[in-house]
Amino acid sequence: MKLDKLLKNLDYRGEIDLSIDVEKISYDSRKIDKNSCFIAFCGIKTDGHNYIKDVIEKKPKLIIVDNDEYMNEYEFIIKVENSRKALSKISSNFYGNPSSEINVIGVTGTNGKTSTCLITKKIMDSMGQKCAYLGTLGFILNENVSSTGYTTPESLELQSILKLIKDSGTQHSAIEVSSHSLVQERVSSTDFDVAVFTNLSQDHLDYHKTMKEYFNAKAKLFRNLNNNSTSVINTDDFYGRTLFEESKSQRISFGKKNKSDIQLKKIEQSISKTQIEMIIMGKNFEFETNLVGEYNVYNIMASIGSLISLDFKIEDILDSLSKQTLNIPGRMELVCKKNNKYFFIDYAHTPDAFKQIFSNIKKVKSKDDILCVFGCGGDRDATKRARMASIAEQYCKKVYVTTDNPRSENIQQIFSDILNGFQTNNYHLIEDRKKAIETAIDSMDDNSVLLVLGKGRENYQIINESQFYFSDSDTIKDIVYES
C-alpha cells in the first residue's frame, strides 16, 4: 500500500515521499524488514522508541514516532501526537477500513461483557445471521476458535480480524471492549454501530488508579460514537445513568426502572431455568431461558437492545432466545452434578461479581450449603481482595483461599490482603489450587453447591514468568468422577 493511502486522515510532522509502497506494518522491532512501516509507542513494560536504532539497521520504508528526540535519526521518519492512535488509524487504512462494511457491536463494562457478546452471537446465528465474536474467550468465526491473548487485541491485530470477518461474508460482530484498550486507543478507528454498557464496579484500579479514571476510560467508547450509532446502556447503574444523559448518539436504556426502554418486571428462577417478564419498547413479553441469575437477565436485556438497534424484530429475538440452550463457557458453568451436589466454575474476580453470583445461588438453592474456592490475581488491583473475602464469608459455609495467577507478586502478600477481609476463622488457606479444590469437594455434604471462582475456562496458572497448564473444570471432573 502506498503511503498516501496508508497515512490518509493522519496528522503528522515530517517530509515523506507518499508514493513509497509499504507491504506490512509492525510495532515489533523483531518483525521489521526493508518493506515495513515501524510504529514506536510506549507500552506498559517497554518503550518501542528504545529499539529504533535496531530498526534503522533494517532500513524500513517508514518509522513513526511520537517523540521529537528521534526525528533526526533516520531519513524516512515522521512524528505524530500519539503513536497508539496513529497505529489504530493506519491499521484501519491498511486493511481497508473493514469496520465500516460490517455491523460492529462493542460491549464494555466491568462484568457481563463475554456473556452479552455470546448471547448476542447465538441469537443472531440461530436466526441465520452469522455473527463473529472477539473477546476473553478468543476469536470465534464460523465456529472456529482462535486465541488472541487479550480481551481486545492491539489495533493492528484487531483490524486484521475485522477484515477476516468481512472477507468471510459475515455481516455482524460482537466485540468485548476493555478499558485498557480504550485508554490505549486500540479501537479508536473502529466504526461501532452499537455500544453497550453493562455496569461498572471496582476493578483494574492498579491501572486506572481511581474509579473516575476507570469510568472515563469506559466512557470513551460512547463519547466517540457518531449520531447514527446506538448506545445501549444499563441505567440502573449509577455510571450508566451518567453515560445515558450525556450520550449524543441514539439511545436504548435497560434495567428495572420504570422509564427504561427494556424494563425487567419479574423473574422466577430455579437452578436450571429463569422465567422472565419484560416490557420492551412499551409492549409486554414473557419468555424463558436456561440461564440463571438476575445478572444474566441484565446481559439478555443488553443483547436485546443491541439487536433492536440493528433492526431485528423483538418477537424474532425472543423466539430465538426461548428455543435454544445458552451455554456461556466459564460463566456460571455447571461442570457436573453428582447426587445433590452441584459443581460450578465462574470467571468472577471482582467484589460485584462475587455478590451477584452468591446472592443468586442463595435464591435458587436457599436450603443448600455454599462452598467456594477462590484466589486473587497477582500484580493486579490489591484493594478489592479483602472485599471479595468478606462477601465470600457472608454467603458461604466454607471458604477455601488459594492461588490464581500470582504472577510476580509474592503469594503470601496476596494471601495477607485476602485474609484481611475475614471477620472469623471460617476459611482454609491452601496454596496449591488443585489441593484446595480437592479439599473443598471432599468436605461437601449432600445438598451443597461448590463455586470455583476467578479463572472460568482459563487453562493455565501464571507463577512468576512461567505459565503452567491448569483447568478448574478438568480438575473438578477428575476428582468427582474418581471418587
Side-chain angles (χ1 to χ4, degrees):
M1 176 177 281
K2 294 193 182 299
L3 288 184
D4 63 337
K5 292 184 178 180
L6 187 68
L7 303 180
K8 185 178 180 180
N9 296 324
L10 180 70
D11 294 327
Y12 63 89
R13 181 164 59 84
E15 297 295 326
I16 193 74
D17 182 358
L18 295 178
S19 67
I20 291 175
D21 205 19
V22 169
E23 294 182 3
K24 71 176 183 179
I25 305 166
S26 183
Y27 51 87
D28 186 338
S29 62
R30 297 165 297 184
K31 297 180 179 179
I32 293 298
D33 60 28
K34 64 180 181 179
N35 296 310
S36 303
C37 169
F38 175 68
I39 301 94
F41 60 76
C42 184
I44 296 175
K45 294 183 178 179
T46 60
D47 186 347
H49 294 86
N50 295 335
Y51 301 93
I52 285 179
K53 289 186 178 179
D54 295 334
V55 170
I56 289 172
E57 292 179 1
K58 300 178 182 181
K59 302 186 184 306
K61 294 292 180 69
L62 180 65
I63 296 175
I64 298 176
V65 300
D66 58 11
N67 190 323
D68 282 321
E69 180 182 345
Y70 301 94
M71 282 300 289
N72 297 320
E73 295 283 336
Y74 188 55
E75 180 181 2
F76 304 110
I77 193 165
I78 60 173
K79 180 182 179 293
V80 295
E81 183 178 344
N82 184 322
S83 288
R84 280 193 176 275
K85 198 167 187 175
L87 175 62
S88 187
K89 171 54 67 178
I90 67 171
S91 296
S92 179
N93 289 342
F94 187 76
Y95 287 107
N97 303 304
S99 63
S100 66
E101 299 185 47
I102 59 175
N103 289 321
V104 182
I105 301 169
V107 181
T108 198
T110 305
N111 301 309
K113 296 186 294 297
T114 301
S115 296
T116 299
C117 283
L118 287 179
I119 292 167
T120 303
K121 169 181 165 51
K122 292 187 178 188
I123 293 173
M124 283 196 191
D125 287 348
S126 73
M127 292 192 292
Q129 297 285 328
K130 290 296 183 182
C131 179
Y133 160 83
L134 179 63
T136 309
L137 299 179
F139 170 45
I140 304 176
L141 178 63
N142 296 326
E143 305 312 318
N144 297 311
V145 183
S146 306
S147 176
T148 62
Y150 295 93
T151 298
T152 315
E154 189 56 75
S155 57
L156 180 60
E157 288 73 27
L158 173 60
Q159 295 299 327
S160 172
I161 288 169
L162 291 170
K163 185 175 187 301
L164 282 174
I165 296 170
K166 178 184 78 73
D167 290 349
S168 75
T170 301
Q171 285 299 306
H172 310 285
S173 59
I175 298 175
E176 295 184 47
V177 184
S178 69
S179 57
H180 290 67
S181 73
L182 287 158
V183 170
Q184 295 169 10
E185 305 289 354
R186 297 181 202 170
V187 298
S188 62
S189 293
T190 299
D191 183 9
F192 289 99
D193 298 274
V194 182
V196 178
F197 177 82
T198 59
N199 50 67
L200 194 75
S201 61
Q202 182 181 344
D203 200 13
H204 304 304
L205 296 190
D206 55 306
Y207 182 79
H208 298 291
K209 307 306 180 189
T210 67
M211 286 299 294
K212 182 178 180 180
E213 287 184 25
Y214 185 28
F215 167 69
N216 283 328
K218 296 290 190 184
K220 287 186 71 172
L221 178 62
F222 301 86
R223 291 167 180 166
N224 291 337
L225 291 178
N226 62 50
N227 293 336
N228 295 321
S229 300
T230 303
S231 298
V232 179
I233 297 174
N234 174 7
T235 49
D236 283 352
D237 185 278
F238 169 80
Y239 295 100
R241 289 193 294 275
T242 302
L243 277 180
F244 193 81
E245 290 167 3
E246 71 175 38
S247 175
K248 293 181 172 59
S249 69
Q250 299 179 56
R251 304 178 301 177
I252 292 177
S253 61
F254 67 90
K256 290 182 179 179
K257 306 300 183 185
N258 290 331
K259 294 184 180 180
S260 297
D261 297 309
I262 303 171
Q263 183 190 355
L264 174 62
K265 295 298 292 182
K266 182 180 179 182
I267 60 172
E268 293 183 3
Q269 304 178 73
S270 70
I271 195 67
S272 59
K273 66 180 181 180
T274 304
Q275 293 177 307
I276 303 168
E277 182 181 338
M278 281 184 193
I279 298 175
I280 305 175
M281 302 304 186
K283 295 182 179 180
N284 285 287
F285 294 92
E286 293 183 10
F287 59 99
E288 184 176 289
T289 176
N290 67 290
L291 294 179
V292 178
E294 186 174 280
Y295 58 92
N296 267 324
V297 179
Y298 274 80
N299 297 332
I300 288 170
M301 288 193 286
S303 297
I304 292 171
S306 299
L307 294 165
I308 290 172
S309 301
L310 297 178
D311 296 325
F312 286 90
K313 293 181 179 179
I314 299 171
E315 291 80 4
D316 292 342
I317 297 168
L318 299 184
D319 182 60
S320 169
L321 191 58
S322 297
K323 286 180 177 178
Q324 60 181 304
T325 300
L326 294 169
N327 295 312
I328 313 297
R331 271 63 180 177
M332 204 52 197
E333 181 179 354
L334 180 61
V335 175
C336 59
K337 177 190 174 188
K338 188 173 183 181
N339 300 324
N340 289 317
K341 300 175 184 178
Y342 293 81
F343 305 87
F344 290 93
I345 60 171
D346 195 277
Y347 189 65
H349 58 280
T350 68
D352 183 63
F354 267 40
K355 186 173 182 179
Q356 293 288 342
I357 284 175
F358 289 133
S359 62
N360 277 286
I361 282 290
K362 202 68 179 174
K363 287 177 184 176
V364 298
K365 300 291 286 183
S366 60
K367 296 181 180 179
D368 290 17
D369 293 329
I370 300 175
L371 297 81
C372 81
V373 176
F374 85 96
C376 292
D379 303 327
R380 297 293 187 268
D381 182 4
T383 62
K384 67 182 180 180
R385 294 169 180 169
R387 291 184 61 200
M388 291 163 65
S390 177
I391 294 166
E393 181 181 47
Q394 178 184 347
Y395 287 95
C396 297
K397 180 179 180 181
K398 296 178 182 177
V399 180
Y400 298 84
V401 177
T402 188
T403 52
D404 181 351
N405 297 333
R407 301 182 178 86
S408 65
E409 189 172 353
N410 182 277
I411 292 173
Q412 298 308 315
Q413 180 58 56
I414 297 173
F415 287 158
S416 177
D417 291 340
I418 294 171
L419 299 186
N420 283 336
F422 289 104
Q423 298 299 311
T424 69
N425 293 322
N426 188 28
Y427 63 84
H428 304 270
L429 183 61
I430 304 173
E431 184 171 321
D432 183 273
R433 192 172 180 94
K434 180 179 180 180
K435 184 65 177 176
I437 294 172
E438 186 174 28
T439 304
I441 291 173
D442 288 344
S443 68
M444 292 175 72
D445 298 321
D446 286 340
N447 300 310
S448 58
V449 176
L450 174 64
L451 299 169
V452 181
L453 304 178
K455 299 181 70 63
R457 279 289 189 93
E458 284 182 357
N459 60 1
Y460 56 82
Q461 272 271 52
I462 303 173
I463 301 175
N464 295 317
E465 298 298 319
S466 299
Q467 183 169 301
F468 305 93
Y469 177 82
F470 189 86
S471 164
D472 285 347
S473 177
D474 288 350
T475 300
I476 291 169
K477 289 176 183 176
D478 289 345
I479 296 168
V480 171
Y481 294 135
E482 286 177 4
S483 63

